């Protein structure tokens, strides 16, 4: 699955709106972020968003099991990372560096 996060700020709303028009993309919110997911690659046409380059190139907050295949003046294309299985983090045990030894 392809997963892309963008901060929920007015500047990113046009990008999310264009992505949401695709039948294969689902948009929801996680905390202060838009989460865009798809079983396929996510493709967003920059010109359709009306975004200027500064907003366009600062819009991605994070990826999960995904990689950027294209991010230029024309489009953003994010695809699932081959062979990467999504696994939820195990928070039942503290990280070793945070264990209080005293």
């Amino acid at each position: 699955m392809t997963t892309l996060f963008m901060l929920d700020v007015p500047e990113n709303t046009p990008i999310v709106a264009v992505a949401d028009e695709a039948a294969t993309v689902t948009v929801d919110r996680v905390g202060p972020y838009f989460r865009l997911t798809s079983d396929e690659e996510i493709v967003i046409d920059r010109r359709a968003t009306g975004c200027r380059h500064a907003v366009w190139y600062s819009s991605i907050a994070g990826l999960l099991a995904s990689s950027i295949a294209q991010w230029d003046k024309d489009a953003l294309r994010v695809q699932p990372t081959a062979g990467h299985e999504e696994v939820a983090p195990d928070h039942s045990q503290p990280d070793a560096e945070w264990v209080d030894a005293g």
Side-chain angles (χ1 to χ4, degrees):
M1 175 172 286
T2 307
T3 304
L4 165 68
F5 295 91
M6 292 186 172
L7 189 61
D8 182 357
V9 293
E11 294 83 356
N12 290 337
T13 302
I15 301 170
V16 173
V18 169
D20 197 27
E21 292 174 0
T24 59
V25 176
T26 301
V27 176
D28 62 351
R29 288 195 170 95
V30 175
Y33 299 97
F34 291 110
R35 177 174 53 189
L36 291 71
T37 58
S38 177
D39 289 330
E40 303 171 4
E41 69 179 8
I42 297 172
V43 180
I44 305 169
D45 181 317
R46 185 193 61 83
R47 290 181 182 98
T49 69
C51 286
R52 300 185 57 82
H53 290 118
V55 171
W56 181 249
Y57 289 116
S58 63
S59 61
I60 295 179
L63 303 170
L64 178 62
S66 306
S67 61
I68 297 171
Q70 175 186 1
W71 194 11
D72 57 24
K73 65 184 177 69
D74 298 318
L76 169 62
R77 189 165 52 94
V78 179
Q79 60 191 15
T81 304
H84 182 80
E85 180 181 325
E86 288 186 38
V87 178
D90 178 10
H91 295 292
S92 64
Q93 300 295 319
D95 293 334
E97 67 262 17
W98 296 106
V99 173
D100 185 5

